[in-house]
Amino acid sequence: MTNLPVNIVELPHMRCASFYHFGEEPEMNAWRKLENWVKENPRYQDLSSRTIMGFNNPNPCCEGATYGYEFLLEIDKEVIPEGDMRIVDFYGGLYAVARCEPKGDPSMIMKTWMGLMEWVDQSDYSHATHQWMEKHLGGSDMDTLVLDIHLPIMK
């Protein structure tokens, strides 16, 4: 079995604000939308106290293809949609989780995903179909970014 450190977690149902971009640099453009909304909503300015998750939407079909990225920010029930921010329910689920710290090397993200898939293939778990996620723990550029990669699993 791969020596990638893996934790098993159960994520709860969460109400989230969704920030989406399709096109060039989808992660950065979706992140800017999240940051702009947070600037206008002081209650959410301490992002370290909120769950932030992201995922390709849709995945690129091939190398160099255009794709989208969506960020979900955990919010309270009284928040209403505004601008291009919409409200979505994240239903949670069981996940295999591995930490990724790219330290300037974006290929580390895919390597972590691949290592996590290999880990699941060699474990007592099976791949599941609920939403896969990259939980953002800190950093706003590839040098400082820290992610917990969440691969959906089932027993």
Side-chain angles (χ1 to χ4, degrees), residues 46-145:
D46 178 13
L47 290 178
S48 66
S49 68
R50 299 285 173 169
T51 299
I52 303 171
M53 299 174 291
F55 54 96
N56 289 348
N57 181 11
N59 281 322
C61 66
C62 50
E63 191 166 331
T66 303
Y67 65 100
Y69 199 83
E70 184 170 356
F71 278 105
L72 301 181
L73 171 65
E74 179 186 13
I75 56 171
D76 300 325
K77 62 183 176 193
E78 59 274 349
V79 174
I80 57 172
E82 57 184 273
D84 59 2
M85 181 272 281
R86 58 190 185 98
I87 306 295
V88 299
D89 281 309
F90 170 71
Y91 293 102
L94 190 63
Y95 289 87
V97 181
R99 177 75 39 99
C100 178
E101 298 180 50
K103 297 182 178 161
D105 181 1
S107 71
M108 289 305 299
I109 298 170
M110 184 54 70
K111 287 176 185 174
T112 304
W113 274 110
M114 299 306 289
L116 196 53
M117 287 188 270
E118 180 183 327
W119 183 93
V120 170
D121 289 342
Q122 297 175 12
S123 75
D124 293 333
Y125 294 92
S126 299
H127 294 272
T129 59
H130 49 285
Q131 183 61 57
W132 56 273
M133 295 292 207
E134 298 168 341
K135 185 175 182 181
H136 291 252
L137 302 174
S140 59
D141 60 44
M142 203 49 67
D143 292 325
T144 60
L145 184 66

Side-chain angles (χ1 to χ4, degrees), residues 22-60:
F22 182 87
E24 193 172 319
E25 297 184 331
E27 293 90 346
M28 291 306 299
N29 284 308
W31 183 258
R32 282 189 202 104
K33 291 176 183 182
L34 184 151
E35 282 184 319
N36 289 338
W37 183 82
V38 164
K39 286 177 189 171
E40 300 297 320
N41 293 275
R43 181 178 189 162
Y44 293 90
Q45 288 180 358
D46 178 13
L47 290 178
S48 66
S49 68
R50 299 285 173 169
T51 299
I52 303 171
M53 299 174 291
F55 54 96
N56 289 348
N57 181 11
N59 281 322

